[in-house]
Amino acid sequence: TLAVKYAVRRRQFEASPGTGEQLLLDYGLHQRRLLPLLARTYALHFAQDAVRGQLHAVFSGDDDSPQERRRLESRAAGMKALGTWHATRTVQECREACGGAGYLAVNRFAALKADSDVFTTFEGDNHVLLQLVAKGLLTDHAGEFEDLDQLGTVRYVTGLAVETVMERTSAHKLLERVRDLLPGGDEWDREAGLLDPRYQLAMLRFREEHMLGGLARRLKAGVDGGRGPGAVFSSVQDHVIALAHAHVERLVLESFVHAVEALPEGGNKAALKLLCDLHALSTIEVDRAWFMEHGRLTVQRSKAISREVNDLCRRVRPLAVDLVDAWRVPPQLLRAPDLLG
Ligand SMILES: Cc1cc2nc3c(=O)[nH]c(=O)nc-3n(C[C@H](O)[C@H](O)[C@H](O)COP(=O)(O)OP(=O)(O)OC[C@H]3O[C@@H](n4cnc5c(N)ncnc54)[C@H](O)[C@@H]3O)c2cc1C
């Protein structure tokens, strides 16, 4: 809120002669820095709301079972990790986006940073929590879940046929189906369908399922090759974290897409659809190297995604103040006189 409001007050440099100094938020770079973070904040809000619904379902007894409790624990752990990393990154970006004024103690970014920073560690270090998420995915939250430490998880997974894990994944079929739905059908390289949530979700599901299958195969190959489960797990921990990340990103986007779909037609729906597209495409853009490595993005389509993110930023720009006002952060919590004026 502070950074967006500052960016619609503060003018710096003439963009073209005789036009006067330009507002910060009219610079493409400033939009790129702030607006995907704004979209992600909304995305995480809806995803957190889904956790709240799940919490209610379990603890009201509407949908309670040991497996549902494990799913809830895993989802809360994943959300905590992504939410707290987002918070600390956003505070830093906003601090810098306010320049020297952002550095002044009176404008409180330093205090906000100090407060939010530690959330990445306490109540469970984020990387450790993401390992819990991956354990749930590998074992499908099996009955033995609580008793499984890292080594037990490796033994459990390698005791299953890798096909059992793969059975839960059908990413290729999913992408084929979406390809059929797109205008232009088999012309996968064209820009068509970038704003179709079915395409966006299929990309994130493909990534998650491919990573899950790949991780199960790596664990099994390591143990079959005669290495100890501990050494095998340690050597694939980067894949473990990547899988958990991909899983939570998919849940976050699903929550956002469902929330937009549930809204009645109108201005709010149109605004949130823009934000949802911005969130989805900037999430894919961040990991475009992975999608290209795995044959799911051509160079042309990857560039089309970056162009679309820029375009969405321009379209969200006029709504930015309304979108931060919608949070209704109480004035006593904002208290940054130099930034708000
Ligand atoms: C300000 C603050 C307040 C706190 N308040 C409370 C409180 O009120 N009550 C309470 O019970 N606790 C509290 N804690 C403790 C907090 O929950 C722990 O600090 C946190 O869970 C991390 O554990 P640790 O400090 O032992 O880190 P460590 O486990 O030593 O982790 C250090 C680093 O090693 C990495 N690491 C650890 N294990 C692995 C592994 N298996 N594989 C790969 N990497 C690994 C971690 O990712 C982390 O980056 C607080 C901590 C802080 C900083």
Side-chain angles (χ1 to χ4, degrees):
T1 301
L2 293 176
V4 165
K5 297 217 163 176
Y6 184 67
V8 295
R9 285 183 58 235
R10 173 75 170 165
R11 294 181 182 276
Q12 272 296 27
F13 310 112
E14 272 188 357
S16 36
T19 55
E21 289 194 309
Q22 187 168 302
L23 288 172
L24 288 182
L25 203 55
D26 288 329
Y27 285 105
L29 178 61
H30 219 72
Q31 293 170 8
R32 262 281 186 167
R33 291 170 66 192
L34 295 183
L35 301 182
L37 295 175
L38 175 63
R40 190 168 174 78
T41 304
Y42 269 86
L44 289 164
H45 162 78
F46 289 116
Q48 185 156 309
D49 216 36
V51 179
R52 196 172 56 148
Q54 206 174 341
L55 184 84
H56 175 75
V58 167
F59 285 96
S60 64
D62 287 350
D63 187 12
D64 190 10
S65 68
Q67 197 175 33
E68 278 313 309
R69 285 186 178 226
R70 287 190 289 271
R71 285 190 202 285
L72 171 62
E73 181 190 21
S74 167
R75 192 169 182 147
M79 283 300 305
K80 183 271 187 190
L82 264 59
T84 55
W85 272 326
H86 173 69
T88 197
R89 177 177 158 224
T90 301
V91 174
Q92 179 65 24
E93 193 63 56
C94 290
R95 203 294 285 153
E96 291 181 44
C98 295
Y103 193 69
L104 294 176
V106 68
N107 292 323
R108 299 181 46 258
F109 277 111
L112 291 170
K113 186 92 171 75
D115 278 355
S116 59
D117 186 37
V118 74
F119 282 101
T120 59
T121 297
F122 72 18
E123 303 293 345
D125 166 77
N126 282 355
H127 283 103
V128 173
L129 290 180
L130 286 184
Q131 293 188 54
L132 176 90
V133 174
K135 183 172 96 169
L137 293 170
L138 284 166
T139 60
D140 203 18
H141 303 91
E144 301 91 328
F145 186 87
E146 264 111 18
D147 306 328
L148 293 176
D149 56 10
Q150 279 178 6
L151 305 192
T153 305
V154 178
R155 287 201 190 94
Y156 182 92
V157 173
T158 53
L160 295 173
V162 168
E163 290 70 38
T164 312
V165 177
M166 291 303 289
E167 253 174 39
R168 303 204 301 271
T169 72
S170 52
H172 286 90
K173 284 186 223 147
L174 192 82
L175 273 179
E176 295 303 320
R177 274 207 309 277
V178 170
R179 186 194 301 233
D180 293 342
L181 292 169
L182 297 178
D186 49 1
E187 298 262 349
W188 193 233
D189 287 350
R190 290 169 29 168
E191 301 191 13
L194 289 182
L195 303 183
D196 187 331
R198 291 169 301 184
Y199 166 74
Q200 299 159 355
L201 278 170
M203 289 290 273
L204 295 201
R205 283 200 194 111
F206 171 81
R207 180 177 61 168
E208 173 186 353
E209 296 188 0
H210 188 91
M211 286 180 171
L212 177 58
L215 178 58
R217 263 195 300 271
R218 281 186 173 87
L219 290 172
K220 189 159 171 58
V223 172
D224 287 351
R227 295 164 65 210
V232 173
F233 189 85
S234 180
S235 68
V236 298
Q237 264 181 317
D238 53 336
H239 296 274
V240 170
I241 295 300
L243 164 64
H245 227 279
H247 170 69
V248 187
E249 288 287 10
R250 193 258 301 167
L251 293 178
V252 170
L253 181 59
E254 261 177 16
S255 303
F256 202 171
V257 167
H258 292 159
V260 174
E261 281 170 357
L263 283 174
E265 295 302 324
N268 284 350
K269 185 174 188 143
L272 286 180
K273 170 75 173 98
L274 275 183
L275 274 191
C276 191
D277 287 335
L278 178 55
H279 170 68
L281 293 186
S282 46
T283 299
I284 294 171
E285 186 190 36
V286 165
D287 212 12
R288 61 190 181 275
W290 187 93
F291 287 107
M292 289 170 83
E293 280 174 359
H294 294 81
R296 288 297 144 192
L297 270 187
T298 59
V299 171
Q300 293 89 327
R301 201 162 168 84
S302 172
K303 289 181 177 175
I305 287 178
S306 293
R307 275 197 302 276
E308 193 66 57
V309 170
N310 279 339
D311 193 47
L312 285 164
C313 282
R314 277 192 291 276
R315 294 168 67 195
V316 170
R317 151 66 182 106
L319 308 174
V321 171
D322 283 346
L323 286 166
V324 297
D325 278 344
W327 293 325
R328 304 187 70 172
V329 181
Q332 61 273 28
L333 292 186
L334 291 174
R335 279 200 340 269
D338 297 349
L339 303 179
L340 298 175

